[in-house]
Amino acid sequence: MSKCEQCIVRELSSLKALTRDELLKVSSCKTSHIIKKGEIIFEEGENVNGIYCIKDGVCKLTKLSGNGKDHIVKLVTKGELLGQRSMISEEPVNLSAVALEDMEVCFIPKTEVMRFFDKNNQFSMNVMKTICGDLKEADDHMVNLAQKTVKERLAETLLYLNDTFGKNEDNSLKVQLSRDELASIIGTATESCIRLLSEFKKLDLIELNGKKIILKDVNKLKKISE
Amino acid sequence: MSKCEQCIVRELSSLKALTRDELLKVSSCKTSHIIKKGEIIFEEGENVNGIYCIKDGVCKLTKLSGNGKDHIVKLVTKGELLGQRSMISEEPVNLSAVALEDMEVCFIPKTEVMRFFDKNNQFSMNVMKTICGDLKEADDHMVNLAQKTVKERLAETLLYLNDTFGKNEDNSLKVQLSRDELASIIGTATESCIRLLSEFKKLDLIELNGKKIILKDVNKLKKISE
DNA sequence: ACTAAAATATGACAATTATCATATTAAAAA
DNA sequence: TTTTTAATATGATAATTGTCATATTTTAGT
């Protein structure tokens, strides 16, 4: 079992506030997991008795809507924590987490985390700030969904993927989403998403190579996204 | 100046965790304000150095979108706190707060509140839970905006207003919104909102009397909202 | 009370987006 | 490899929603 003291993630998440002693405790009670692409970490409605720390990989947080379709609420990646909201609210998780690529995660039981909340003020504050950041992001996202067209939202999402997760050596977006998943982020029908991607391709704004997407004209995409 | 120890609001918000001594402190440093309908409490981008405690009235939290239109992100009412996220994140507020009716609010300076964060764990926990609740709500709202039709969203919003803020003696919704504001909650053009209200009226689901809206068939509205 | 301004309402039309049908291509399984 | 299945792509069309014009009603200001 790998040690938290040496884990790179420790520097990224709220966990960076933990002391050496506290980290040793986490090390001894955490469990490590390899999660394959497509596998479910947890599902909406489940009781998750702790938090997941993402050591590597990206996952999507989805919520089932009334019409039976999944909506992708957020993408979460290396260095971030999952399940904080649910743990604090003492409620089942309201979102499902599914791996978009192979992942490495550690699970830290609630009992341990709650102890840090009591003892380590800086840790509490970090978690709070993270959740506040999520809330702000959610507000922004909400306004975009309410006020922007599908085309604007697609352009914006492509830029977001580029800025947040970067690109491979061949310049294609690192996070590979299916058309269906892309549609479920921007909130539209899969066909509409595909059609707009084709349009962007014709306008030479992007290049499509199977699932790979290469942004060719970031400035024009920015203009479209407004 | 009225005293916090006797204020009804004290039982509602996160402040209920405060001790008698802490409440006395708040009493002595808070400032009370009467805010008239339509007046601004704070504006997006401002630095608000503390939190507002709503003693009476309802306000809207709005965010300006790219196209210059305001989107109503949330309605906040008696017993709730404003400006918590901004205070914790140590950032300017990301939303504007505008009174929908005459309001009574108290302002508690940040320095005081931060002291409670350090000393009173239950208070921190309450604030955290509130923010987590807001985040969950935001997730739900996001999915609705992305997946539901305008008609479904209108029905849902009417039911929400009814359930959350109740009705007057004449059965009309207590919170009176202009058509424009209603449209800006559900994320549509004012004309579309008006048109759908007319449609609901023709179907005998609601009654319209100027700004007053009376829900006549809650069950059918529920079915429409899905 | 009267005038001006704003909010509500409705029609006509255009633009956007969804749905259904059907190729085509890519990926997975036999 | 071959077959089967799933994902991507595109056309045709319908439904939804937005925009502009304009009338009517309500509200606010003098």
Side-chain angles (χ1 to χ4, degrees):
Chain A
M1 181 99 30
S2 65
K3 288 180 187 148
C4 299
E5 306 95 276
Q6 295 150 8
C7 179
I8 6 99
V9 174
R10 161 182 130 59
E11 288 302 321
L12 296 172
S13 72
S14 308
L15 299 171
K16 68 180 163 217
L18 297 189
T19 63
R20 195 150 286 276
D21 267 9
E22 287 170 332
L23 274 177
L24 280 170
K25 274 218 163 173
V26 174
S27 266
S28 67
C29 70
K30 76 161 205 298
T31 51
S32 292
H33 305 268
I34 299 289
I35 295 166
K36 293 267 171 200
K37 177 177 173 170
E39 282 179 3
I40 295 167
I41 306 176
F42 52 73
E43 225 163 347
E44 204 179 333
E46 251 179 52
N47 279 301
V48 178
N49 261 301
I51 58 173
Y52 289 90
C53 178
I54 304 181
K55 196 167 171 184
D56 200 30
V58 181
C59 70
K60 58 178 177 182
L61 296 182
T62 67
K63 186 169 168 52
L64 206 60
S65 76
N67 59 35
K69 276 206 267 182
D70 265 329
H71 180 77
I72 297 182
V73 171
K74 191 173 160 56
L75 300 180
V76 186
T77 185
K78 175 164 59 181
E80 297 188 78
L81 303 177
L82 289 179
Q84 308 176 83
R85 193 208 64 81
S86 155
M87 197 189 58
I88 292 169
S89 300
E90 308 185 86
E91 287 173 351
V93 286
N94 66 325
L95 303 170
S96 301
V98 178
L100 288 175
E101 41 188 65
D102 291 355
M103 298 181 76
E104 249 185 285
V105 305
C106 291
F107 178 80
I108 310 170
K110 177 174 174 174
T111 46
E112 206 54 46
V113 182
M114 289 315 282
R115 207 168 297 161
F116 300 148
F117 267 117
D118 285 341
K119 299 268 170 67
N120 188 328
N121 236 306
Q122 189 55 50
F123 174 71
S124 311
M125 219 53 201
N126 284 350
V127 172
M128 257 200 274
K129 280 190 186 176
T130 305
I131 292 173
C132 285
D134 287 349
L135 182 56
K136 186 184 175 187
E137 243 181 61
D139 286 343
D140 290 348
H141 203 157
M142 227 153 76
V143 176
N144 283 339
L145 283 169
Q147 308 269 4
K148 287 190 177 176
T149 65
V150 174
K151 192 186 289 184
E152 289 166 354
R153 265 140 55 199
L154 174 59
E156 190 177 44
T157 302
L158 292 175
L159 291 168
Y160 161 77
L161 293 174
N162 186 54
D163 296 346
T164 311
F165 304 104
K167 34 191 182 182
N168 300 306
E169 317 78 49
D170 64 351
N171 276 324
S172 64
L173 295 179
K174 211 161 205 168
V175 179
Q176 277 194 22
L177 299 167
S178 68
R179 304 292 189 262
D180 195 53
E181 286 169 328
L182 198 49
S184 133
I185 291 181
I186 65 184
T188 191
T190 309
E191 296 95 323
S192 299
C193 175
I194 291 173
R195 231 180 283 276
L196 286 170
L197 281 174
S198 301
E199 193 186 320
F200 282 2
K201 185 183 169 185
K202 262 182 206 138
L203 293 169
D204 233 14
L205 306 176
I206 62 173
E207 206 180 304
L208 297 174
N209 243 309
K211 254 193 187 49
K212 284 183 186 299
I213 300 176
I214 298 177
L215 305 196
K216 291 181 72 179
D217 197 332
V218 168
N219 285 329
K220 272 193 192 147
L221 283 171
K222 268 185 194 151
K223 259 182 209 154
I224 289 175
S225 79
E226 275 186 10
Chain B
M1 180 98 32
S2 64
K3 288 180 187 150
C4 300
E5 306 96 276
Q6 295 151 7
C7 179
I8 6 99
V9 175
R10 160 182 130 59
E11 287 303 320
L12 296 172
S13 72
S14 309
L15 299 171
K16 68 181 163 218
L18 297 189
T19 64
R20 195 151 285 275
D21 266 9
E22 287 169 331
L23 275 177
L24 280 170
K25 273 217 165 174
V26 173
S27 266
S28 67
C29 70
K30 75 160 207 299
T31 52
S32 292
H33 304 268
I34 299 290
I35 294 168
K36 293 267 171 200
K37 177 175 174 171
E39 282 181 2
I40 296 167
I41 305 177
F42 52 73
E43 226 164 346
E44 204 178 333
E46 251 180 53
N47 279 301
V48 177
N49 261 300
I51 57 174
Y52 288 90
C53 178
I54 304 181
K55 196 168 171 183
D56 200 31
V58 181
C59 69
K60 58 178 177 181
L61 297 183
T62 67
K63 186 168 167 53
L64 206 59
S65 77
N67 59 35
K69 276 206 268 181
D70 266 330
H71 180 78
I72 297 182
V73 170
K74 192 172 159 56
L75 300 181
V76 187
T77 186
K78 174 164 59 181
E80 298 188 77
L81 303 177
L82 290 180
Q84 308 176 83
R85 193 209 64 81
S86 157
M87 197 189 57
I88 292 169
S89 301
E90 308 186 85
E91 287 172 352
V93 286
N94 65 325
L95 304 171
S96 301
V98 178
L100 288 175
E101 42 188 64
D102 292 355
M103 297 180 77
E104 250 185 286
V105 304
C106 291
F107 178 79
I108 311 171
K110 177 175 174 173
T111 47
E112 206 53 47
V113 182
M114 289 315 282
R115 206 168 297 161
F116 301 148
F117 267 117
D118 284 341
K119 299 266 170 70
N120 189 326
N121 235 307
Q122 190 54 51
F123 173 71
S124 311
M125 219 54 199
N126 283 351
V127 172
M128 258 200 275
K129 280 191 186 176
T130 305
I131 292 173
C132 284
D134 287 349
L135 182 55
K136 185 183 176 187
E137 243 181 60
D139 286 343
D140 290 349
H141 202 158
M142 225 153 78
V143 175
N144 283 339
L145 283 169
Q147 308 269 6
K148 288 190 177 177
T149 64
V150 174
K151 192 185 288 186
E152 289 165 354
R153 265 141 55 200
L154 174 59
E156 190 178 43
T157 302
L158 292 175
L159 291 167
Y160 162 77
L161 293 174
N162 187 54
D163 296 347
T164 311
F165 304 104
K167 33 191 182 180
N168 300 307
E169 318 76 50
D170 63 351
N171 276 323
S172 64
L173 296 179
K174 212 161 205 168
V175 178
Q176 277 194 23
L177 299 167
S178 68
R179 304 292 188 261
D180 194 53
E181 285 169 330
L182 197 49
S184 134
I185 291 181
I186 65 184
T188 190
T190 310
E191 295 95 325
S192 299
C193 175
I194 290 173
R195 230 180 284 276
L196 286 170
L197 281 174
S198 300
E199 194 185 319
F200 283 2
K201 184 182 169 184
K202 262 182 206 140
L203 293 170
D204 234 14
L205 306 176
I206 62 173
E207 206 180 304
L208 296 174
N209 243 309
K211 253 192 187 50
K212 284 184 186 298
I213 299 175
I214 298 177
L215 305 196
K216 291 181 72 178
D217 197 332
V218 168
N219 286 330
K220 272 194 192 147
L221 283 171
K222 268 185 193 153
K223 260 182 207 154
I224 289 175
S225 79
E226 274 187 9

